[in-house]
Amino acid sequence: MGKLFSIFGNPVSHSRSPLMHNSVFKNLNYNACYARTLLQDGTKLKETFFALKLNGANVTVPHKEHAYEACDEVRGFAKKIGVVNTLINEKGKLIGYNTDADGFMYAINEFKNIRNILVLGAGGTAKALVQKFLEEGLHVSILNRSKERLAYFETLDVQCYTWNSFITEKYDLVVNTTSAGLKDENFPAPKKTIETILDNTRYVADAIYGKSTPFLQLAKEKQLTCKDGSDMLLGQGVLANELFCNFELDKKAIKKEMQKSFLY
Ligand code: NDP
């Protein structure tokens, strides 16, 4: 019998995950199908997963913390950050992983000699990326609009700033993990601050995909080497697909088929 997977989120209609994974299953002849499930109540994640008889799933905004709570066992990096984006049904037990941070590292593989990073935003994505950067021995600063969300980062070896206290350094990479620019035309910080930041970095990445945010647009105008969130999405998807298929498919082939799905 074929395997069944799904993405859980709210909203979920915009998600590219079904296209990405189905492209792999279909073109690499893997007997599986990937659907999408709108989940309003995150506490119902586990019972919905098993009611749908799923073999695995991805979890997106706003249920990644619920997914962590729902697991019988959490493995690897997800354990460290308390955030799960990939679920596997292992003999009736729910096993949780996080492929977002490794997906991002995979995405910036071509950026060379990264040592000093500025992260814009202090939400769930920032949490995952900052912990991964620290694990890799990188120097990290973080700039966020509100002070409240910085509390988590103040316990780590991270330089924390709000818009008012910010002092610019020289960076190798600046990453936007805020949702500024997703559904509006805002910058992740006042435009003047962003101008200064962009004048002091070599590389720029934005977690947002599917549109060029004002932040990314400005970075392009300054002729910096940039990346939107598509490669991060691709990276986390490739790693999730390997877990779904129990590492039976070739990683390069998975990536190729997923990339193709971006053209649909
Ligand atoms: P969260 O809701 O956890 O965090 C949002 C962050 O954005 C907060 O730090 C918030 O600051 C900041 N923010 C929101 N609006 C503004 C604004 N107008 N100006 C400045 N800062 C703002 O979100 P996530 O971390 O889950 O997701 C963040 C983004 O990353 C989303 O756009 C999401 O689509 C994208 N993403 C992309 C992925 C990919 O694969 N490409 C994977 C995961 C996420 P404050 O504390 O002040 O409210």
Short mmCIF file of all heavy atoms in Angstrom, two decimals, residues 61 64 121-125 144-146 149 163 177-180 182 186-188 207-209 229 232-233, ligand 1:
data_model
loop_
_atom_site.label_atom_id
_atom_site.label_comp_id
_atom_site.label_asym_id
_atom_site.label_seq_id
_atom_site.Cartn_x
_atom_site.Cartn_y
_atom_site.Cartn_z
N VAL A 61 3.37 27.25 10.24
CA VAL A 61 2.79 28.28 11.12
C VAL A 61 1.30 28.05 11.33
O VAL A 61 0.60 27.80 10.35
CB VAL A 61 2.99 29.67 10.46
CG1 VAL A 61 2.47 30.78 11.35
CG2 VAL A 61 4.46 29.90 10.15
N LYS A 64 4.05 24.70 15.02
CA LYS A 64 5.32 23.97 15.20
C LYS A 64 5.61 23.65 16.67
O LYS A 64 6.25 22.65 16.97
CB LYS A 64 6.48 24.76 14.59
CG LYS A 64 6.41 24.81 13.06
CD LYS A 64 7.61 25.49 12.47
CE LYS A 64 7.40 25.71 10.98
NZ LYS A 64 8.56 26.29 10.31
N GLY A 121 14.73 39.93 13.52
CA GLY A 121 13.55 39.20 13.99
C GLY A 121 13.94 38.24 15.10
O GLY A 121 15.10 37.81 15.20
N ALA A 122 12.94 37.92 15.97
CA ALA A 122 13.23 37.08 17.13
C ALA A 122 12.11 36.06 17.36
O ALA A 122 11.83 35.67 18.49
CB ALA A 122 13.42 37.97 18.37
N GLY A 123 11.45 35.62 16.29
CA GLY A 123 10.37 34.64 16.39
C GLY A 123 10.89 33.20 16.30
O GLY A 123 12.07 32.94 16.57
N GLY A 124 10.01 32.28 15.92
CA GLY A 124 10.35 30.86 15.87
C GLY A 124 11.47 30.55 14.89
O GLY A 124 12.36 29.73 15.19
N THR A 125 11.44 31.19 13.74
CA THR A 125 12.47 30.92 12.73
C THR A 125 13.83 31.41 13.23
O THR A 125 14.85 30.72 13.07
CB THR A 125 12.11 31.62 11.40
OG1 THR A 125 10.78 31.25 11.06
CG2 THR A 125 13.03 31.23 10.29
N ASN A 144 15.58 43.14 16.93
CA ASN A 144 14.13 42.92 16.87
C ASN A 144 13.36 44.17 17.26
O ASN A 144 13.84 45.00 18.03
CB ASN A 144 13.73 41.76 17.81
CG ASN A 144 12.33 41.28 17.53
OD1 ASN A 144 11.99 41.02 16.36
ND2 ASN A 144 11.49 41.18 18.54
N ARG A 145 12.15 44.29 16.72
CA ARG A 145 11.30 45.45 16.99
C ARG A 145 10.94 45.55 18.48
O ARG A 145 11.15 46.55 19.12
CB ARG A 145 10.02 45.31 16.14
CG ARG A 145 9.03 46.42 16.28
CD ARG A 145 7.87 46.19 15.34
NE ARG A 145 7.18 44.91 15.60
CZ ARG A 145 6.13 44.47 14.91
NH1 ARG A 145 5.65 45.19 13.91
NH2 ARG A 145 5.57 43.32 15.21
N SER A 146 10.44 44.43 19.04
CA SER A 146 10.02 44.48 20.45
C SER A 146 11.10 43.87 21.35
O SER A 146 11.88 43.03 20.91
CB SER A 146 8.73 43.69 20.62
OG SER A 146 8.99 42.30 20.55
N ARG A 149 10.41 39.65 22.91
CA ARG A 149 10.85 38.41 22.26
C ARG A 149 12.35 38.18 22.35
O ARG A 149 12.84 37.09 22.03
CB ARG A 149 10.40 38.42 20.80
CG ARG A 149 9.03 37.80 20.59
CD ARG A 149 8.82 37.68 19.11
NE ARG A 149 7.84 36.71 18.76
CZ ARG A 149 6.77 37.00 18.02
NH1 ARG A 149 6.55 38.24 17.62
NH2 ARG A 149 5.92 36.05 17.69
N TRP A 163 15.40 48.27 18.08
CA TRP A 163 15.67 49.32 17.09
C TRP A 163 16.41 50.51 17.73
O TRP A 163 17.27 51.11 17.11
CB TRP A 163 14.35 49.82 16.47
CG TRP A 163 13.69 48.80 15.62
CD1 TRP A 163 14.12 47.53 15.35
CD2 TRP A 163 12.45 48.95 14.91
NE1 TRP A 163 13.24 46.88 14.53
CE2 TRP A 163 12.21 47.73 14.24
CE3 TRP A 163 11.52 49.99 14.77
CZ2 TRP A 163 11.08 47.54 13.44
CZ3 TRP A 163 10.41 49.79 13.98
CH2 TRP A 163 10.18 48.58 13.32
N THR A 177 14.37 37.26 9.25
CA THR A 177 13.40 36.22 9.67
C THR A 177 12.11 36.88 10.17
O THR A 177 11.28 36.20 10.78
CB THR A 177 13.96 35.33 10.80
OG1 THR A 177 14.00 36.08 12.02
CG2 THR A 177 15.34 34.81 10.49
N THR A 178 11.95 38.20 9.97
CA THR A 178 10.68 38.83 10.37
C THR A 178 9.64 38.56 9.27
O THR A 178 9.99 38.15 8.16
CB THR A 178 10.80 40.36 10.54
OG1 THR A 178 10.85 40.97 9.24
CG2 THR A 178 12.02 40.75 11.34
N SER A 179 8.37 38.83 9.59
CA SER A 179 7.36 38.71 8.53
C SER A 179 7.09 40.07 7.88
O SER A 179 6.14 40.20 7.13
CB SER A 179 6.10 38.07 9.08
OG SER A 179 5.84 38.51 10.39
N ALA A 180 7.95 41.06 8.18
CA ALA A 180 7.81 42.37 7.52
C ALA A 180 8.05 42.21 6.02
O ALA A 180 9.05 41.62 5.62
CB ALA A 180 8.81 43.35 8.11
N LEU A 182 6.00 40.53 4.09
CA LEU A 182 5.28 39.34 3.61
C LEU A 182 3.93 39.74 3.02
O LEU A 182 3.61 39.41 1.88
CB LEU A 182 5.09 38.35 4.76
CG LEU A 182 4.35 37.06 4.46
CD1 LEU A 182 5.14 36.18 3.50
CD2 LEU A 182 4.10 36.26 5.75
N ASN A 186 6.55 46.79 4.36
CA ASN A 186 7.40 47.29 5.44
C ASN A 186 8.82 46.72 5.36
O ASN A 186 9.04 45.63 4.84
CB ASN A 186 6.83 46.88 6.81
CG ASN A 186 5.54 47.61 7.10
OD1 ASN A 186 5.35 48.76 6.68
ND2 ASN A 186 4.63 46.96 7.81
N PHE A 187 9.76 47.48 5.94
CA PHE A 187 11.12 46.98 6.14
C PHE A 187 11.18 46.30 7.51
O PHE A 187 10.40 46.66 8.41
CB PHE A 187 12.12 48.14 6.09
CG PHE A 187 12.42 48.61 4.69
CD1 PHE A 187 11.70 49.66 4.12
CD2 PHE A 187 13.41 48.00 3.95
CE1 PHE A 187 11.96 50.07 2.83
CE2 PHE A 187 13.69 48.42 2.66
CZ PHE A 187 12.96 49.46 2.09
N PRO A 188 12.12 45.40 7.74
CA PRO A 188 12.22 44.71 9.04
C PRO A 188 12.66 45.62 10.18
O PRO A 188 12.60 45.24 11.34
CB PRO A 188 13.28 43.64 8.79
CG PRO A 188 13.52 43.61 7.34
CD PRO A 188 13.08 44.90 6.76
N ALA A 207 13.92 34.96 4.70
CA ALA A 207 13.17 33.70 4.87
C ALA A 207 11.89 33.71 4.04
O ALA A 207 11.34 32.66 3.71
CB ALA A 207 12.84 33.49 6.34
N ILE A 208 11.44 34.91 3.70
CA ILE A 208 10.18 35.01 2.93
C ILE A 208 10.41 34.57 1.48
O ILE A 208 11.43 34.92 0.88
CB ILE A 208 9.65 36.47 2.98
CG1 ILE A 208 9.24 36.80 4.42
CG2 ILE A 208 8.47 36.66 2.02
CD1 ILE A 208 8.87 38.25 4.64
N TYR A 209 9.48 33.78 0.97
CA TYR A 209 9.62 33.34 -0.43
C TYR A 209 8.38 33.71 -1.22
O TYR A 209 7.35 34.05 -0.64
CB TYR A 209 9.90 31.84 -0.52
CG TYR A 209 8.80 30.95 0.03
CD1 TYR A 209 7.74 30.52 -0.77
CD2 TYR A 209 8.83 30.52 1.35
CE1 TYR A 209 6.75 29.70 -0.28
CE2 TYR A 209 7.84 29.70 1.86
CZ TYR A 209 6.80 29.29 1.04
OH TYR A 209 5.82 28.48 1.53
N GLY A 229 13.60 33.13 0.33
CA GLY A 229 13.38 31.94 1.15
C GLY A 229 13.15 30.65 0.38
O GLY A 229 12.96 29.60 1.00
N MET A 232 15.65 27.95 1.20
CA MET A 232 15.45 27.44 2.56
C MET A 232 14.30 26.43 2.55
O MET A 232 14.37 25.36 3.16
CB MET A 232 15.14 28.60 3.49
CG MET A 232 14.91 28.18 4.92
SD MET A 232 14.51 29.61 5.94
CE MET A 232 14.23 28.80 7.50
N LEU A 233 13.24 26.81 1.83
CA LEU A 233 12.08 25.93 1.70
C LEU A 233 12.49 24.61 1.03
O LEU A 233 12.11 23.52 1.47
CB LEU A 233 11.02 26.65 0.85
CG LEU A 233 9.71 25.94 0.67
CD1 LEU A 233 8.90 25.99 1.95
CD2 LEU A 233 8.91 26.57 -0.47
P1 NDP B 1 7.00 34.61 14.18
O1 NDP B 1 5.59 35.10 14.21
O2 NDP B 1 7.44 33.61 15.17
O3 NDP B 1 7.99 35.93 14.32
C1 NDP B 1 7.79 37.09 13.58
C2 NDP B 1 8.92 38.09 13.81
O4 NDP B 1 8.72 39.16 12.87
C3 NDP B 1 8.96 38.74 15.19
O5 NDP B 1 10.29 38.90 15.59
C4 NDP B 1 8.28 40.10 14.96
O6 NDP B 1 8.75 41.13 15.83
C5 NDP B 1 8.75 40.41 13.56
N1 NDP B 1 7.87 41.34 12.83
C6 NDP B 1 6.60 41.13 12.40
N2 NDP B 1 6.15 42.21 11.73
C7 NDP B 1 7.15 43.11 11.73
C8 NDP B 1 7.30 44.42 11.18
N3 NDP B 1 6.32 45.01 10.50
N4 NDP B 1 8.48 45.07 11.35
C9 NDP B 1 9.48 44.47 12.04
N5 NDP B 1 9.41 43.24 12.59
C10 NDP B 1 8.26 42.56 12.44
O7 NDP B 1 7.23 34.12 12.69
P2 NDP B 1 8.16 32.92 12.12
O8 NDP B 1 9.52 33.05 12.71
O9 NDP B 1 7.45 31.63 12.24
O10 NDP B 1 8.21 33.28 10.55
C11 NDP B 1 8.85 34.46 10.13
C12 NDP B 1 8.91 34.52 8.61
O11 NDP B 1 9.74 33.48 8.09
C13 NDP B 1 7.55 34.38 7.93
O12 NDP B 1 7.48 35.36 6.92
C14 NDP B 1 7.58 32.98 7.34
O13 NDP B 1 6.81 32.92 6.17
C15 NDP B 1 9.07 32.80 7.03
N6 NDP B 1 9.51 31.39 7.01
C16 NDP B 1 10.03 30.87 5.87
C17 NDP B 1 10.49 29.55 5.82
C18 NDP B 1 11.07 29.02 4.55
O14 NDP B 1 11.19 27.80 4.43
N7 NDP B 1 11.45 29.84 3.62
C19 NDP B 1 10.40 28.65 7.00
C20 NDP B 1 9.85 29.30 8.16
C21 NDP B 1 9.40 30.62 8.15
P3 NDP B 1 8.02 41.49 17.26
O15 NDP B 1 8.65 40.59 18.27
O16 NDP B 1 8.34 42.92 17.46
O17 NDP B 1 6.55 41.22 17.07
#
